[in-house]
Amino acid sequence: MIYAVLAVKDKQTFTQLAQELQRYPVDIHWTHTGKAVLDLLSQAMDQGKTVDLVITDETLTDMSGRDLVEQVIMKSPMTNCAAASTLSSDQFHEAYEGLGVLMQLPMTPDAESGKKLVTILTKLNILKQ
């Protein structure tokens, strides 16, 4: 079982992605702020656990998705991240370069986006099918 946090402004927008992830052993926690994600990371670390995956919206109520990814990897370098973004592929690569983001998601990730993310997680041996 992997532990995933979805940090999104509108839960409805990410429902299809979440449904696809939940076809596998993935425990999802929803939040809408970057601070809540960072608090969850701290709580998990205090309990000797890890957050395996953070999926972030382009902007949250308290910070940008990119800022959250940067803070997540500083706090927990082994936590994988995916980010929704309106940037072009080249702009996304430039903005997130060096942060180890698994993939760029569309602003309304569908089941196909979930399947692509599952494929990446499986190839990296993070998710066991």
Side-chain angles (χ1 to χ4, degrees):
M1 174 79 61
I2 70 168
Y3 184 46
V5 178
L6 272 70
V8 300
K9 291 182 293 192
D10 179 10
K11 187 175 178 178
Q12 192 73 16
T13 306
F14 283 74
T15 300
Q16 288 186 30
L17 173 75
Q19 288 173 340
E20 186 61 34
L21 290 175
Q22 289 179 316
R23 294 179 61 221
Y24 303 90
V26 178
D27 181 22
I28 295 176
H29 182 87
W30 294 88
T31 185
H32 62 277
T33 68
K35 181 185 180 320
V37 174
L38 299 172
D39 289 346
L40 285 168
L41 282 173
S42 293
Q43 290 169 11
M45 289 167 43
D46 290 347
Q47 296 172 2
K49 300 178 181 176
T50 60
V51 173
D52 301 292
L53 176 65
V54 171
I55 298 172
T56 184
D57 212 335
E58 187 167 48
T59 56
L60 303 169
T61 57
D62 59 349
M63 67 181 70
S64 72
R66 192 212 178 277
D67 288 342
L68 176 58
V69 168
E70 190 171 344
Q71 290 184 46
V72 165
I73 64 163
M74 287 175 39
K75 187 176 206 72
S76 178
M78 298 307 289
T79 298
N80 296 283
C81 297
S85 176
T86 57
L87 296 174
S88 71
S89 293
D90 289 343
Q91 291 170 326
F92 184 85
H93 177 74
E94 189 70 29
Y96 285 82
E97 186 173 12
L99 297 178
V101 174
L102 295 176
M103 73 179 286
Q104 177 182 3
L105 297 165
M107 292 304 292
T108 304
D110 56 9
E112 190 60 35
S113 300
K115 289 176 185 174
K116 289 177 183 176
L117 182 55
V118 163
T119 298
I120 292 168
L121 293 170
T122 302
K123 284 181 181 178
L124 295 174
N125 275 337
I126 297 162
L127 182 62
K128 310 287 191 248
Q129 292 190 357

